[in-house]
Amino acid sequence: MPESKQRGKIFPIVEIYGHPHDSNTPHAQQAREDSLCPFAGGPCEKKQQYDMGYCSVTYQANWDDRQHPYAVCDHRLDGMPTEWAVRDYFGDQPSRLVAEVTVTQRPRLNLDYVAYTHDINHRGEIKAIAIETQSIDLRGGSVRPAWDAWESGEPEKWREYYTREAKKNNRPDTVNYGVNTGNVYKRLGTQVAEKGVYLEQISVPLYVVMQQKILQQLRSRIDFTPLSSSDPWDITFMGFDYDGTRLDDGRLAMPHVETVRTSVENYTRAMFSNGKLNITRADFEAKVKRKAAAQLRQRTAEHRLF
């Protein structure tokens, strides 16, 4: 079934307040009553900012052979995945995790977490790592109608909510939300380079905790050379992904899939060398003309509709 039709058939939201949208476990019910995020261990920031508490959506990207859950909130990688990164570096040594550290003001550079412990070999000094948790953003349409249906206690009627919103706003009746796959390179790729270069100067390793599918796409765009743990490395990517299983409290499991290490030099070299794409002038012109024709057809269709 084509992706567009899949999106019109499947309830868009996978997790709400850290649990499957249809979960009735005591943990899920408590999280919903209090609008809690079990990953961050506090109030749901998405609910506070956007009045919606969803963590992930189902989507079929152009590299997928089926619908798949995509984490669309950075806090989805908090908790176990972040702790996995801490243990990878410090082992069983006790360490402290500090959230949201601003390390420079101009330009402003924020780190999601810094984990540190006292350096037993150098009195008064610490050993530290920076940890970035990376999800992916929504683009295009909205999952608001699906959220409203769920919050109203009738998620089975979610498609009708899209129809109502379309009529209210005089728009085509479609389910056209997506995940912003372009940001895998443009935002995430450059963010890792910027923070990696800064942290390399002060000898602080960078851990990037992310969904495995997003890590795979990043590596397809930035083909850096992996290093072994015995080589001098600056950046460690850790991939986690949904495997269809659930934890004891009913939440969806997101186990560790892969750990890949590299150096800032390898990463930045790969990032900028990938700019030499295999494309001809004729290819460029053909793509522009096809896009222009598609936009014209869309405008014509919308004009007839209205």
Side-chain angles (χ1 to χ4, degrees), residues 14-16 18-24 28 32 246 250-252:
V14 177
E15 296 167 295
I16 292 175
H19 297 77
H21 72 86
D22 56 355
S23 176
N24 291 314
R32 291 166 186 170
R246 299 195 181 197
R251 286 183 293 159
L252 295 181

Side-chain angles (χ1 to χ4, degrees), residues 77-119:
L77 281 305
D78 288 346
M80 185 276 288
T82 301
E83 293 167 5
W84 193 291
V86 174
R87 287 197 304 272
D88 181 80
Y89 190 77
F90 294 109
D92 295 329
Q93 189 175 2
S95 59
R96 183 173 181 180
L97 192 64
V98 184
E100 299 179 3
V101 179
T102 301
V103 290
T104 64
Q105 290 288 350
R106 296 184 180 177
R108 190 173 181 85
L109 191 65
N110 296 320
L111 300 173
D112 291 334
Y113 292 100
V114 173
Y116 75 92
T117 186
H118 293 285
D119 192 339

Side-chain angles (χ1 to χ4, degrees), residues 64 68-71 76-77 80-81 210-216 238-245 252-258:
D64 292 323
H68 191 81
Y70 279 91
R76 185 60 182 88
L77 281 305
M80 185 276 288
M210 57 200 304
Q211 192 170 349
Q212 178 66 14
K213 278 188 169 289
I214 307 305
L215 174 56
Q216 290 171 339
M238 300 191 105
F240 299 79
D241 222 332
Y242 301 92
D243 66 352
T245 64
L252 295 181
M254 187 184 267
H256 174 256
V257 178
E258 181 183 28

